[in-house]
Amino acid sequence: MSATKIPSLGYALLGLLQKPSSGYDLRKVFSSTSMKTYSDSPGAIYPALRRLEKAGLIRGTIEEGSGLRRRQIFRLSPKGHGELKKWIMLPITREDLASGLKTIMLRFAFSEIAIGAAASLAILKSLEAALQPHLQALREQLQAMKAVAPTSARLALECGIRSYESLFDWTHYSITIYEKQMNGGVS
Amino acid sequence: MSATKIPSLGYALLGLLQKPSSGYDLRKVFSSTSMKTYSDSPGAIYPALRRLEKAGLIRGTIEEGSGLRRRQIFRLSPKGHGELKKWIMLPITREDLASGLKTIMLRFAFSEIAIGAAASLAILKSLEAALQPHLQALREQLQAMKAVAPTSARLALECGIRSYESLFDWTHYSITIYEKQMNGGVS
DNA sequence: TATGACATGTAATCTGTTACATGATTAG
DNA sequence: CTAATCATGTAACAGATTACATGTCATA
């Protein structure tokens, strides 16, 4: 019954909790990086942490350090670590692509620490495979639109296409880096 | 008191309703294009339409065409058109950028029909201005991260940077197109 | 006349946003 | 001692997802 669906904020928290942190620490990470998109408001984070704890994915322990303020440090449980790994290793589908890169990039960013470089490489290859038909479809949409739509709508679509093309390039660049690193036999 | 906040799905609907449509038509547009991200589920769209109607931004009229099925066609009211224009012309801030390009691109895509080519050009220039400090900040984040973070996290950030760079290029490309078009004096 | 696509909706549930509340600790 | 910051929360509300419900029309 690990089938309790976890929203993306939950996974973001699980990923960050690979390094034990308090709710406050997590909020700071969110608000100081480009992870702001996952909400840095206490009204989202604290309830989410409690849900994860109830689901047995994390454990919170109150820090007893002498003169410190009350601070609850959360850690991943083995189950939580398993859930995180499962999520990271999901194959990348075209729906994933259509609903934005945020989630994909989050999974990739966490992959190396959570599992290892081989998993990161696998994500890149899965992404590369999903990208080709997606780009194809977008280009066809552009052709179909060309006669009908106003310039701005057409350009907006072109922007999307360019951004996926740049993603495609990045994928190759990153694959190269990982393959070098692994042939070099580092770690 | 037009201060009722409208969620992005609401604006997407307003923009599409520049061409009168039924709820079902709108759903089809959502599910057949890259606008899926704004939810194509009836449980989101129909309540949203009712909210917009209650706010006086759209008007629904039941189509009386002879043998047709019941179909309610929605149209923008003058107030709705004004609200749409106001939203499109908002200056683009760095927060807009940080929370994703979806909204920005939606505004741009609608701009030409809702207001005109001059408005589209204005958005592009506003976007260009917002992009430069944003890119700067991301590059600094990358430098700061270089020593500390694992390869995958660093590459994920690089991916973001590349995508904003490609957006920057697209901005120039699009500005050129609009300037040519307007000098050429095409309506 | 039964099936499937058209067209519209509702109800339960979950999550996030907003705004406020609480108390402990440190700096001036 | 007072203000600011640290650290954690709560309550009210809006909105989305999911899954189901309803009825119409065309076609086989």
Side-chain angles (χ1 to χ4, degrees), chain A residues 71-102:
Chain A
R71 254 170 71 93
Q72 195 172 10
I73 304 291
F74 293 95
R75 287 175 171 75
L76 274 190
S77 72
K79 188 175 164 191
H81 197 249
E83 206 54 49
L84 177 64
K85 289 205 276 191
K86 236 171 48 191
W87 173 69
I88 289 174
M89 293 196 302
L90 286 174
I92 290 174
T93 65
R94 291 199 44 210
E95 290 84 61
D96 292 335
L97 273 179
S99 52
L101 299 180
K102 257 175 38 185

Side-chain angles (χ1 to χ4, degrees), chain A:
Chain A
M1 211 63 54
S2 68
T4 330
K5 225 184 320 168
I6 302 172
S8 55
L9 173 59
Y11 284 113
L13 291 170
L14 286 182
L16 290 177
L17 283 174
Q18 294 183 97
K19 169 179 175 175
S21 321
S22 69
Y24 195 76
D25 293 337
L26 294 165
R27 273 187 70 193
K28 275 191 299 191
V29 175
F30 282 124
S31 53
S32 69
T33 71
S34 39
M35 291 180 74
K36 256 178 287 299
T37 14
Y38 294 101
S39 172
D40 57 341
S41 81
I45 290 179
Y46 290 106
L49 285 171
R50 249 177 292 124
R51 281 193 295 271
L52 293 174
E53 190 170 29
K54 222 174 81 181
L57 303 173
I58 64 177
R59 257 173 290 122
T61 56
I62 291 175
E63 204 181 53
E64 329 91 349
S66 45
L68 289 165
R69 298 182 198 87
R70 183 185 56 163
R71 254 170 71 93
Q72 195 172 10
I73 304 291
F74 293 95
R75 287 175 171 75
L76 274 190
S77 72
K79 188 175 164 191
H81 197 249
E83 206 54 49
L84 177 64
K85 289 205 276 191
K86 236 171 48 191
W87 173 69
I88 289 174
M89 293 196 302
L90 286 174
I92 290 174
T93 65
R94 291 199 44 210
E95 290 84 61
D96 292 335
L97 273 179
S99 52
L101 299 180
K102 257 175 38 185
T103 309
I104 296 172
M105 282 304 144
L106 195 64
R107 284 165 52 190
F108 178 70
F110 289 147
S111 63
E112 194 169 324
I113 287 206
I115 311 175
S120 309
L121 189 54
I123 293 179
L124 291 170
K125 299 222 162 152
S126 174
L127 175 57
E128 187 195 12
L131 265 171
Q132 309 201 32
H134 190 65
L135 264 167
Q136 182 72 20
L138 286 179
R139 291 197 183 107
E140 278 161 18
Q141 222 180 301
L142 181 62
Q143 288 308 317
M145 176 187 251
K146 221 144 200 175
V148 201
T151 309
S152 70
R154 208 192 63 222
L155 285 172
L157 183 53
E158 279 187 53
C159 179
I161 293 175
R162 278 165 176 249
S163 110
Y164 284 112
E165 283 168 348
S166 121
L167 179 63
F168 198 62
D169 293 344
W170 170 87
T171 310
H172 294 314
Y173 160 72
S174 301
I175 286 177
T176 309
I177 287 186
Y178 272 109
E179 283 177 343
K180 252 186 219 149
Q181 188 184 306
M182 296 177 85
N183 287 339
V186 181
S187 172

Side-chain angles (χ1 to χ4, degrees), chain B residues 5-144:
Chain B
K5 224 185 322 172
I6 302 172
S8 56
L9 173 59
Y11 283 113
L13 291 170
L14 287 182
L16 290 177
L17 283 174
Q18 294 182 96
K19 169 179 175 176
S21 320
S22 70
Y24 195 75
D25 294 335
L26 294 165
R27 273 187 70 193
K28 275 191 300 192
V29 175
F30 282 125
S31 53
S32 68
T33 70
S34 39
M35 291 180 74
K36 258 179 285 301
T37 14
Y38 293 100
S39 171
D40 57 341
S41 81
I45 289 180
Y46 289 105
L49 285 171
R50 250 177 293 123
R51 281 193 296 271
L52 292 174
E53 190 170 28
K54 221 175 81 181
L57 302 174
I58 64 176
R59 255 172 292 123
T61 56
I62 292 176
E63 205 181 51
E64 330 91 350
S66 46
L68 290 165
R69 297 181 198 86
R70 184 184 56 162
R71 254 171 72 92
Q72 195 173 9
I73 304 292
F74 293 94
R75 289 175 170 74
L76 275 190
S77 72
K79 188 175 164 190
H81 197 250
E83 207 53 49
L84 178 63
K85 288 205 277 192
K86 235 170 50 190
W87 173 69
I88 289 174
M89 293 196 301
L90 287 174
I92 290 173
T93 66
R94 290 200 45 211
E95 290 85 60
D96 293 334
L97 274 179
S99 53
L101 298 181
K102 259 175 38 188
T103 309
I104 296 173
M105 282 304 145
L106 195 64
R107 284 164 53 188
F108 179 71
F110 288 148
S111 62
E112 193 169 324
I113 287 205
I115 310 176
S120 309
L121 189 54
I123 293 180
L124 291 170
K125 300 221 162 155
S126 174
L127 175 56
E128 188 195 11
L131 265 171
Q132 309 201 33
H134 190 66
L135 264 168
Q136 182 69 20
L138 286 179
R139 290 198 183 106
E140 278 161 18
Q141 223 180 300
L142 181 62
Q143 288 309 318

